[in-house]
Amino acid sequence: MTLTRRIAPVLTAGALLGSVICAPQALAQASTSSQPINVSASTLSVDDRAGTATYTGAVHVTQGNLTLDSQRLDLYRDNKTGEASRAKATGSSGKRAFIKQDATQTDPEMHGWASTITYLIPQRKMVMQGNAELHRGNDTFHGAYVEYYIDSRKVNANGGGNAKGDAQQSTSGGRVNMTITPKKNQQ
């Protein structure tokens, strides 16, 4: 096996990761999307045929103003198109996965935690499941399930644990808790 053949899957994993973490609107700035992607983890396993890359062990990812920390990060590629389709960050039993997008001139800092954070790339949607918590500026959303649409900045949440609100992984007692801070108090 040539060196090029061995490196290609790792480059594929990097391309998948780049598609995942440079997507949010504030990250769409050319300066961020062209910045290097830095990944550190204890292990990396790439299955080029399956279109997957798995990082494990204190995974830390940065690119521009985005940070992602998890115990495990699985990246998936659509085998038909070759494009990245989703990324799933999973926390450990005692620590949730974490994502943070620094504030820009027009948007406040966004950060969140959940047992799993899945980014659905074509839909530009982040799905947080299991003790999910999303902060955007001074506003907070807590529930078993929180969706965040990156382009529209729309948030859907429920205390049930999945998109339909069915009970699973609910630590919020089946409720959604929200704190919305009036703009005049956000100075």
Side-chain angles (χ1 to χ4, degrees):
M1 182 181 279
T2 67
L3 181 59
T4 304
R5 179 75 176 133
R6 284 188 225 161
I7 292 176
V10 175
L11 295 176
T12 300
L16 282 171
L17 188 58
S19 298
V20 170
I21 66 175
C22 66
Q25 185 176 359
L27 293 178
Q29 303 168 14
S31 61
T32 299
S33 62
S34 63
Q35 291 182 4
I37 300 161
N38 300 295
V39 182
S40 64
S42 296
T43 65
L44 166 63
S45 174
V46 176
D47 185 339
D48 199 36
R49 287 187 181 176
T52 62
T54 301
Y55 296 86
T56 58
V59 181
H60 181 74
V61 182
T62 61
Q63 183 186 30
N65 68 351
L66 185 76
T67 301
L68 175 69
D69 291 309
S70 62
Q71 182 58 32
R72 178 183 174 122
L73 179 66
D74 294 296
L75 302 171
Y76 301 90
R77 181 185 70 226
D78 182 304
N79 285 330
K80 291 180 184 176
T81 66
E83 297 293 321
S85 59
R86 70 185 162 108
K88 181 179 179 183
T90 307
S92 62
S93 60
K95 187 175 180 183
R96 298 176 288 175
F98 171 75
I99 190 164
K100 181 180 96 168
Q101 182 181 10
D102 293 335
T104 66
Q105 291 180 344
T106 58
D107 294 306
E109 179 178 286
M110 181 278 296
H111 55 277
W113 300 263
S115 296
T116 61
I117 300 172
T118 303
Y119 180 60
L120 304 170
I121 297 163
Q123 297 88 357
R124 295 180 50 79
K125 176 171 102 173
M126 186 171 48
V127 176
M128 304 170 74
Q129 290 183 279
N131 197 17
E133 180 178 344
L134 177 70
H135 296 243
R136 187 164 177 267
N138 292 327
D139 300 338
T140 63
F141 305 87
H142 298 263
Y145 180 92
V146 175
E147 293 177 335
Y148 180 66
Y149 290 83
I150 292 163
D151 293 331
S152 66
R153 304 209 180 263
K154 178 181 171 184
V155 176
N156 292 325
N158 71 60
N162 61 32
K164 296 178 183 178
D166 299 333
Q168 62 174 256
Q169 295 185 14
S170 181
T171 60
S172 62
R175 308 282 293 164
V176 173
N177 298 297
M178 224 173 14
T179 302
I180 306 294
T181 305
K183 291 216 184 271
K184 66 180 180 178
N185 293 337
Q186 292 188 17
Q187 298 174 18

